[in-house]
Amino acid sequence: MQDFLDDLNPSQREAATSIDGALLILAGAGSGKTKTITARLAYLIDVVGIPPSNTLTLTFTNKAASQMQKRALSMIKNTSIHPPLLCTFHKFGLLFLKFYITHLGRKANFILADSEDTKRIVKELNSDLAPLPLVLSEISRYKNAQMTSSEALKNAHNDTYKHIAKVYGRYGEFLLQKNMVDFDDLLLLPLEIMQQNPQVAKEVSEKYQYIMVDEYQDTNHLQYLLLKCLCSTHQNLCVVGDDDQSIYSWRGANIQNILQFSEHFKGAKVIKLQENYRSTHTILQAANALITKNKERLGKTLISTLGKGKNIEILHAGDEQEEVQKIAKEIRKLLDSGVNPKDIAILFRLNALSRSLEEGFNRARIPYVLVGAIRFYERSEIKDVLSYFRVLVNLEDDFSLARIINKPKRGIGKTTLDKILQLAQAHKTSVYRLFIADSIQEGLQETLKSAIGKKAYDAIEEFFATMLSLQESLRQSSLSFIDTFEQKIGLCEALSKSHDEIDRVSNIEEFYGVYREYIKQNPLMELEDFLNDLALRSDQEDIEMRKESRGIVGVSCMSVHSSKGLEFDYVFVIGLEEGFFPLVREDSNIEEERRLGYVAFTRAKKELFLSYADSRFYRGNRASLAPSRFLSESGVCGTHFKEEAKRDSNTGSFKRGDCVMHKIFGAGRILEVSQSGKELKLKINFGGLEREILGSYVSKV
């Protein structure tokens, strides 16, 4: 027996040495699944004597494939002739098509279109009649459902989807004509070839007699069907996964693949890896308690090999600013005690929550790295809003105008914009001046209409009319201006039409909230002051970014989705309020939200901090929030917490004469109480200084 088996626990060893027939290795977080998979591959080749070329191991990322290959090859001695094939699903599809695409009447010298190629092609075919992200996501969905363009057209429930179905058809024709395949084709076309040519399926299945799949809970329906074809002559399929970590339904992953594995592959053996080598008992106890509330799961309980560990800490704050102050204080303690910042992570459900973290960490001078996302004020959608604001401040700002003149779509493409900018430059004026009646030179109006067409001309005239109207709204009320802005411009509305834009809409709403907060705190300031303050803040962030580029390590800030597969000694999970985590929307799945919570908890090795706030900006407004159900479901909160949460939920009742406390102005007495939307507006006397402040910003004394 080989040495590599000696390092395995009994469950891992059983999994590594179970060879024939279907096998599901149900591997909990931190249970050593990669070690088990690579040991099993080495066992197959070096002990059982299976030729390496008869094995196929499929992963989801190139990084995972590379790591497994290095570990497996370090164990395997019998690789002199043909090394084992270990790659992603899509790499396998590419290799398959090189051999078999001729069965579709196509040449083997096809070109693989990357995501940017796909965007460019679809954009040209789309004619701007539907949001590009929606068109791209629907085309991908059609392909993964094996739906033809005619079927998509038949199932279209409105004009937008009829248009998308037609674009899908033209897109398919374009790829065929140019002998190109896209990313989805790497799964779809091999499946079509094997379904239409059983002999090919038999040939490939006989070649790959032993197949392993990592992260099986993340497979979609197309990948499941592909595996069925690959196993048409045998049942030697070993899949490794964790149903409790299935968090990608939004991109097509089907949890039923792992839940129904034993039905899909009859006689399948199930081995559970439950010994956890990552987290303390206290952390796993909370994770186990949380996930057991789910009904759709196969069931397992993680057991720590590291001992009890420290208690989970609950951080309770009044708002997101106090939250980041408390987190920064805890992190400073850790850093001062010698903890490396790379061993600390902050996790959030929505990227929009990163804004307060970035600002707070900059103030506290805590080094950080934003993982899997760009900085808040550098995000495309935030730059769009900032460009609108700059044009409102200066209608002759052609640089900012060029960014947003066609956002949302107004039928003003790049060619039209180039012509307008060239005309403005030729006449040594701004685009705005070109379209102002009293500034138009003799015959210039007709020249413009001739150059860009009446439709585009009218669209730009309407744009500037809207901007002038918004300027008037801004003069009347800085605070209510933002509602008028969204109503007239509709950036969130345009983005919300796409299936995968939840975070981008949330980011814009978060930014609107930043503006409202600024105006509330600085009622005499104007939009230009707001932009200038942000510009100074961005300079500070640029310094931090340059430090990162020099290799300076910081605290990792990332979404829970981005954290999957990673681990840290110290983990802070923020935004644990109902509506934020779990995310509560019409299409939300509470079981998947709970799985996200389980993933977040199990990233922590030594200590876990869970943070919730009483109020937070939500959709551009400050809202009072209830603590997340996950806090009680995980068993980390006792009676005191429940009483405190109940008491905090009643703090919205204020009356004249009440003494209150404000973080900046100190103690004061309420003079008047009035309603402002869903909140109370209070007129308060702070020792002779009278201020009107929303009720959520003060507490009773």
Side-chain angles (χ1 to χ4, degrees), residues 220-237:
N220 61 24
H221 187 61
L222 210 56
Q223 288 160 327
Y224 159 69
L225 293 175
L226 200 57
L227 289 170
K228 289 291 281 186
C229 287
L230 292 173
C231 294
S232 59
T233 65
H234 61 81
Q235 290 283 291
N236 299 328
L237 174 65

Side-chain angles (χ1 to χ4, degrees), residues 224-329:
Y224 159 69
L225 293 175
L226 200 57
L227 289 170
K228 289 291 281 186
C229 287
L230 292 173
C231 294
S232 59
T233 65
H234 61 81
Q235 290 283 291
N236 299 328
L237 174 65
C238 168
V239 303
V240 187
D242 184 0
D243 53 331
D244 293 333
Q245 295 189 73
S246 181
I247 59 174
Y248 295 115
S249 66
W250 52 275
R251 69 182 188 195
N254 184 1
I255 192 175
Q256 297 305 320
N257 288 351
I258 191 168
L259 295 179
Q260 298 178 9
F261 182 79
S262 296
E263 297 171 31
H264 294 158
F265 299 91
K266 299 298 181 186
K269 184 177 183 179
V270 179
I271 297 173
K272 297 180 181 181
L273 304 185
Q274 301 179 103
E275 288 184 61
N276 178 283
Y277 297 89
R278 176 190 298 161
S279 308
T280 65
H281 170 74
T282 303
I283 293 168
L284 294 184
Q285 191 175 32
N288 285 330
L290 175 64
I291 203 64
T292 53
K293 302 299 186 293
N294 274 3
K295 295 179 180 177
E296 278 202 319
R297 64 188 298 261
L298 296 171
K300 65 182 180 312
T301 302
L302 294 180
I303 303 163
S304 176
T305 60
L306 303 177
K308 185 173 187 285
K310 291 188 177 181
N311 290 335
I312 294 170
E313 290 203 34
I314 305 296
L315 302 179
H316 175 199
D319 58 22
E320 66 275 10
Q321 292 180 5
E322 185 183 348
E323 177 182 58
V324 74
Q325 287 172 6
K326 289 192 173 186
I327 291 170
K329 185 178 179 181

Side-chain angles (χ1 to χ4, degrees), residues 33-50:
K33 72 177 179 66
T34 302
K35 184 179 183 180
T36 305
I37 295 172
T38 50
R40 187 176 187 273
L41 183 58
Y43 182 81
L44 275 170
I45 295 168
D46 273 358
V47 178
V48 181
I50 304 300

Side-chain angles (χ1 to χ4, degrees), residues 103-271:
H103 285 271
L104 295 174
R106 299 177 61 168
K107 295 178 182 178
N109 63 341
F110 60 85
I111 298 168
L112 176 61
D114 62 23
S115 57
E116 287 305 312
D117 293 328
T118 299
K119 283 181 185 176
R120 190 164 62 250
I121 296 165
V122 172
K123 189 174 182 178
E124 290 176 3
L125 299 170
N126 185 34
S127 305
D128 293 335
L129 292 178
L132 183 61
L134 176 62
V135 179
L136 291 167
S137 65
E138 283 302 293
I139 288 175
S140 181
R141 186 176 69 85
Y142 295 150
K143 288 196 172 192
N144 282 283
Q146 284 188 287
M147 191 182 294
T148 65
S149 57
S150 57
E151 289 171 333
L153 186 59
K154 185 179 178 182
N155 292 329
H157 57 276
N158 60 33
D159 290 342
T160 299
Y161 283 83
K162 286 177 183 176
H163 167 73
I164 294 172
K166 291 173 183 175
V167 172
Y168 174 40
R170 292 196 293 270
Y171 173 65
E173 290 169 5
F174 181 92
L175 293 183
L176 194 60
Q177 183 184 0
K178 303 293 184 183
N179 196 27
M180 299 174 76
V181 299
D182 66 13
F183 203 59
D184 290 318
D185 287 334
L186 296 179
L187 298 179
L188 176 62
L189 298 183
L191 178 60
E192 286 184 356
I193 291 168
M194 286 192 279
Q195 288 178 335
Q196 294 169 17
N197 302 274
Q199 185 57 38
V200 172
K202 182 174 182 289
E203 180 183 322
V204 178
S205 180
E206 287 176 345
K207 175 175 175 57
Y208 299 112
Q209 285 287 310
Y210 292 88
I211 299 173
M212 285 195 288
V213 181
D214 187 27
E215 303 286 10
Y216 189 66
Q217 77 280 350
D218 294 335
T219 54
N220 61 24
H221 187 61
L222 210 56
Q223 288 160 327
Y224 159 69
L225 293 175
L226 200 57
L227 289 170
K228 289 291 281 186
C229 287
L230 292 173
C231 294
S232 59
T233 65
H234 61 81
Q235 290 283 291
N236 299 328
L237 174 65
C238 168
V239 303
V240 187
D242 184 0
D243 53 331
D244 293 333
Q245 295 189 73
S246 181
I247 59 174
Y248 295 115
S249 66
W250 52 275
R251 69 182 188 195
N254 184 1
I255 192 175
Q256 297 305 320
N257 288 351
I258 191 168
L259 295 179
Q260 298 178 9
F261 182 79
S262 296
E263 297 171 31
H264 294 158
F265 299 91
K266 299 298 181 186
K269 184 177 183 179
V270 179
I271 297 173

Side-chain angles (χ1 to χ4, degrees), residues 247-253 349 499-500 502 561 592 596:
I247 59 174
Y248 295 115
S249 66
W250 52 275
R251 69 182 188 195
R349 174 64 180 88
H499 288 178
D500 58 349
I502 289 176
H561 281 102
E592 180 151 332
L596 274 165

